Amino acid sequence: MIKPIELVIFDCDGVLVDSEVIAARVQMRLGAELGWPLTLPDVVEHFIGRSEAANHAVVAERLGTATADRWRERFAELHAEAVDAELEPVAGIREALAAITLPTCVASSGSHDKMRHTLGRTGLYEHFAGRILSATEVGRGKPAPDLFLHAARSMGVDPAACVVVEDSLPGVRAARAAGMRALGYAGGLTPAERLAGPDTVVFDDMRKLPELIRH
């Protein structure tokens, strides 16, 4: 028997805040500067939805640890500047959050400092304050299930009664590995066909989210 939904777990980047476009642009700039020319599909494949540690490892394998350290430092600087200048909430997310009556939390590959910045900048931090989990708290980031299982434990909910709202392939894979249902948001950088799969409903308009959760 399928359990009713008791908890909605939100990814942050690309689901709550429209930051993935900013991050991708910064990654491509750094690739050009530091010796790894990247296309947008390259960035989606190698970086989107993954933790800072995972991204560092990808660059280190390609360009060495010293360059990866420089990449990480420059990314933090350039990303913060762009967030301050242009970050907006994902279209329709404020309306969706206002209509969702179930308990919610955030479980993101980003650090707590990064989420305080991005969620704070868009006025969404207070909505989730005290219910924000980071991949820095678990041993393995997405696509491993650790972060979502940690979120379920923290909120006192059976994983089978959780639904995850994600916009990346590592994210939906992590939800499936955790035994959770997934709602794959295809209004961002990751194509709908990459999000599709078992126990996953793909959608492209955040205003539809409350109805999808109800059903």
Side-chain angles (χ1 to χ4, degrees):
M1 182 176 177
I2 298 176
K3 288 197 170 190
I5 297 298
E6 298 176 20
L7 174 66
V8 184
I9 302 174
F10 286 90
D11 178 40
C12 182
D13 294 301
V15 168
L16 298 174
V17 295
D18 197 12
S19 53
E20 295 291 40
V21 173
I22 293 172
R25 189 173 69 236
V26 172
Q27 298 287 22
M28 287 188 288
R29 173 176 170 179
L30 291 174
E33 290 178 1
L34 298 176
W36 184 8
L38 293 164
T39 65
L40 183 56
D42 291 335
V43 172
V44 172
E45 176 69 26
H46 294 293
F47 295 99
I48 295 300
R50 300 183 188 276
S51 67
E52 180 182 296
N55 288 344
H56 183 272
V58 167
V59 178
E61 182 178 1
R62 179 89 178 206
L63 301 175
T65 301
T67 301
D69 290 345
R70 176 60 176 155
W71 189 302
R72 178 169 56 192
E73 291 167 5
R74 286 286 288 148
F75 180 86
E77 294 168 3
L78 295 171
H79 185 268
E81 290 172 5
V83 163
D84 283 340
E86 62 190 272
L87 186 65
E88 296 288 343
V90 166
I93 193 63
R94 291 189 192 279
E95 298 93 323
L97 292 174
I100 293 169
T101 57
L102 290 170
T104 60
C105 68
V106 177
S108 171
S109 295
S111 67
H112 281 287
D113 285 345
K114 182 181 176 185
M115 285 187 281
R116 271 191 291 271
H117 187 204
T118 58
L119 292 173
R121 190 72 187 173
T122 53
L124 295 174
Y125 188 84
E126 288 305 317
H127 186 88
F128 294 101
R131 309 187 314 282
I132 299 174
L133 296 308
S134 166
T136 59
E137 300 169 39
V138 296
R140 300 176 299 170
K142 304 168 189 177
D146 303 30
L147 177 57
F148 291 144
L149 293 174
H150 173 50
R153 282 193 301 269
S154 298
M155 297 294 289
V157 176
D158 186 333
C162 298
V163 65
V164 175
V165 187
E166 264 287 356
D167 72 315
S168 73
L169 182 57
V172 293
R173 284 179 171 169
R176 293 169 196 149
M180 300 177 181
R181 284 158 278 182
L183 293 170
Y185 176 61
L189 295 182
T190 302
E193 59 269 19
R194 286 178 64 83
L195 299 174
D199 299 316
T200 304
V201 173
V202 178
F203 70 109
D204 61 5
D205 184 346
M206 276 299 175
R207 285 168 284 268
K208 299 177 181 175
L209 183 60
E211 187 68 17
L212 290 171
I213 291 168
R214 283 193 289 270
H215 292 89

